[in-house]
Amino acid sequence: MKKIAFFDTKPYDKVWFDKLNTQYEISYFENKLNSKTVKLATGYDAVCAFVNDEIDKDVIDSLYSYGIKLILMRCAGYSNVDFKEAYGKIHVLRVPAYSPNAIAEYAMSLLLTLNRKTHKAYNRTREFNFSLVGLGGFDLYGKTIGVIGTGRIGKSFIRICKGFGMNVLAYDLYPAKDAGYNYVSLDELLEKSDIISLHCPLTKETYHMLDKEEFKKMKKGVFIINTSRGALIDTEALLTSLNKKKVKAAGLDVYEEEANVFYEDFSGKIIKDDVLALLISKPNVIVTSHQAFLTDEALMNIAETTILNMRQFFSNDKLDNEVCYQCDEKDKKEDCKKIKNGRCF
Ligand code: NAD
């Protein structure tokens, strides 16, 4: 029986894997996978990792030296993997679409909460404070929402926004054909949107795509929603824009320095990250702990696809969900090994 080492496991991860797995011996470790913990993978046939594991050169080299040829990412994004280092040594498989709706719905819930302040109303009425002062918002109907990245999650989010009667402006490197909404330049989107929601991956090109200069181009009073990856936003620039009231509110399910904090309980401890503490202290900011994926449907799909990924790898089949550093370079597709052989190398 092949042995899989699961890293950064929480109780909710185990439920569906325990239900659906019949073929593999899974050991669940609570530790994140990084250069300090990689030794735990000795003697295993594969590792399964998540969004905040640090799969850098050292980790890849160690895994390879233990004879491990498979990394299973139980998530869609993979900006935490050193792909160039892994290429030719270790196959990296992911779960490309476990529930785009889960993330899109969560992005809308952040927007609704920020705008209508239901989180504050909840706290008030629990203390029998029935005042409405300071709880005002605006109608979403008729407002312009700028959606950056119109892949699986972006499209689902746009569908929801259209249901609210919002005007959608979209920006993507690869605009969809016959989309039924307007694609514009990034600058036009920044200038015209009342709300901006990020749905593109973190890459070299998208790192800090919303920085000081981009915030300057936005409408005064814009709302920012980020359920994608923290480092899409320069957090210092966001803080400045919040202080200057250029940004009226921000809903953040991701944060660029989240790796050491998110998914852990720090209540009763002093957080050393002053930037995060400042963000959380603002009444017009909601920070949540990278939880947009957390629905029953998504967790079941993650387990199903990850088990399928294991099966395809260990039976030497083609790997539907393999990714390598060349997969994003769409113009290289003609000589793509995966198209020819079913595997990236
Ligand atoms: P996807 O690959 O289906 O879509 C991404 C879109 O972004 C594509 O259309 C692509 O062309 C576009 N894009 C790439 N580079 C761009 C750029 N420089 N500018 C504008 N657009 C660009 O991915 P998806 O499934 O929609 O997921 C989007 C992101 O959501 C993931 O990369 C991940 O970071 C994030 N995510 C977050 C959670 C969470 O729990 N918060 C869960 C899943 C995914």
Side-chain angles (χ1 to χ4, degrees):
M1 201 181 246
K2 298 289 182 194
K3 292 169 72 181
I4 321 288
F6 265 55
F7 284 85
D8 199 8
T9 335
K10 297 281 183 275
Y12 48 79
D13 290 315
K14 296 180 195 170
V15 177
W16 282 102
F17 278 98
D18 285 348
K19 234 180 234 176
L20 299 176
N21 170 44
T22 50
Q23 259 179 297
Y24 303 100
E25 187 183 323
I26 297 179
S27 301
Y28 296 108
F29 297 114
E30 285 181 18
N31 313 62
K32 289 197 171 72
L33 176 58
N34 55 40
S35 54
K36 288 186 194 125
T37 61
V38 65
K39 272 199 192 105
L40 291 166
T42 321
Y44 287 87
D45 299 291
V47 294
C48 183
F50 199 47
V51 288
N52 286 325
D53 294 315
E54 290 165 47
I55 309 165
D56 56 12
K57 181 181 181 321
D58 285 353
V59 169
I60 305 262
D61 287 349
S62 301
L63 293 174
Y64 190 59
S65 75
Y66 308 154
I68 290 176
K69 303 232 167 51
L70 174 63
I71 296 173
L72 298 149
M73 299 302 294
R74 52 178 196 281
C75 49
Y78 43 80
S79 50
N80 52 334
V81 182
D82 186 337
F83 271 104
K84 285 216 166 154
E85 202 52 44
Y87 190 75
K89 297 179 190 162
I90 305 185
H91 294 269
V92 182
L93 277 61
R94 66 166 180 151
V95 183
Y98 41 85
S99 175
N101 300 327
I103 323 302
E105 289 170 15
Y106 192 81
M108 181 49 87
S109 78
L110 279 179
L111 172 55
L112 288 169
T113 309
L114 271 178
N115 178 27
R116 302 304 298 274
K117 306 182 180 67
T118 38
H119 56 312
K120 293 186 184 180
Y122 171 78
N123 283 331
R124 280 191 193 180
T125 53
R126 282 170 66 83
E127 293 187 0
F128 302 97
N129 172 357
F130 299 105
S131 159
L132 297 184
V133 175
L135 297 185
F138 54 83
D139 286 11
L140 291 183
Y141 181 86
K143 294 292 179 301
T144 299
I145 184 139
V147 179
I148 300 180
T150 57
R152 286 168 279 245
I153 297 171
K155 280 197 185 83
S156 174
F157 184 67
I158 288 172
R159 184 179 44 75
I160 295 169
C161 293
K162 289 183 117 192
F164 275 80
M166 303 177 84
N167 305 316
V168 174
L169 295 180
Y171 170 71
D172 196 296
L173 286 185
Y174 306 96
K177 287 190 189 107
D178 305 322
Y181 41 84
N182 284 342
Y183 279 99
V184 294
S185 67
L186 182 57
D187 277 358
E188 188 175 343
L189 182 148
L190 299 177
E191 283 157 21
K192 293 190 174 162
S193 299
D194 301 303
I195 300 136
I196 294 172
S197 191
L198 291 165
H199 299 286
C200 60
L202 177 63
T203 61
K204 278 198 301 292
E205 293 73 34
T206 60
Y207 176 80
H208 283 187
M209 80 185 300
L210 298 189
D211 63 7
K212 195 172 146 197
E213 293 310 312
E214 306 305 307
F215 280 113
K216 275 188 200 157
K217 295 174 190 164
M218 295 176 197
K219 266 189 181 178
K220 191 170 165 59
V222 66
F223 275 45
I224 303 287
I225 306 293
N226 189 6
T227 53
S228 202
R229 283 292 180 271
L232 294 175
I233 298 181
D234 175 349
T235 316
E236 298 275 359
L238 173 64
L239 272 173
T240 308
S241 305
L242 282 160
N243 288 340
K244 289 185 173 163
K245 301 200 170 108
K246 177 88 183 195
V247 173
K248 191 168 180 191
L252 310 172
D253 186 47
V254 285
Y255 165 59
E256 54 181 324
E257 301 300 332
E258 70 179 47
N260 297 326
V261 188
F262 281 15
Y263 302 136
E264 306 304 329
D265 181 0
F266 283 92
S267 56
K269 295 190 183 140
I270 291 172
I271 284 271
K272 291 193 184 111
D273 184 333
D274 290 344
V275 173
L276 179 61
L278 259 178
L279 270 178
I280 290 173
S281 73
K282 294 197 178 296
N284 50 348
V285 174
I286 296 178
V287 176
T288 57
S289 187
H290 206 137
Q291 70 169 74
F293 72 98
L294 203 60
T295 65
D296 292 341
E297 291 78 1
L299 291 171
M300 185 189 77
N301 290 335
I302 287 171
E304 253 176 15
T305 307
T306 306
I307 291 168
L308 171 80
N309 288 346
M310 294 176 196
R311 202 175 301 133
Q312 288 185 340
F313 180 81
F314 290 119
S315 1
N316 290 320
D317 285 345
K318 72 181 179 64
L319 302 175
D320 293 332
N321 298 317
E322 183 171 21
V323 270
C324 76
Y325 74 99
Q326 300 179 94
C327 285
D328 275 344
E329 297 174 28
K330 300 207 174 179
D331 50 343
K332 278 198 181 170
K333 279 274 150 92
E334 264 97 78
D335 57 331
C336 170
K337 289 200 173 64
K338 194 169 161 190
I339 291 175
K340 286 185 196 147
N341 311 326
R343 291 187 170 213
C344 289
F345 60 88

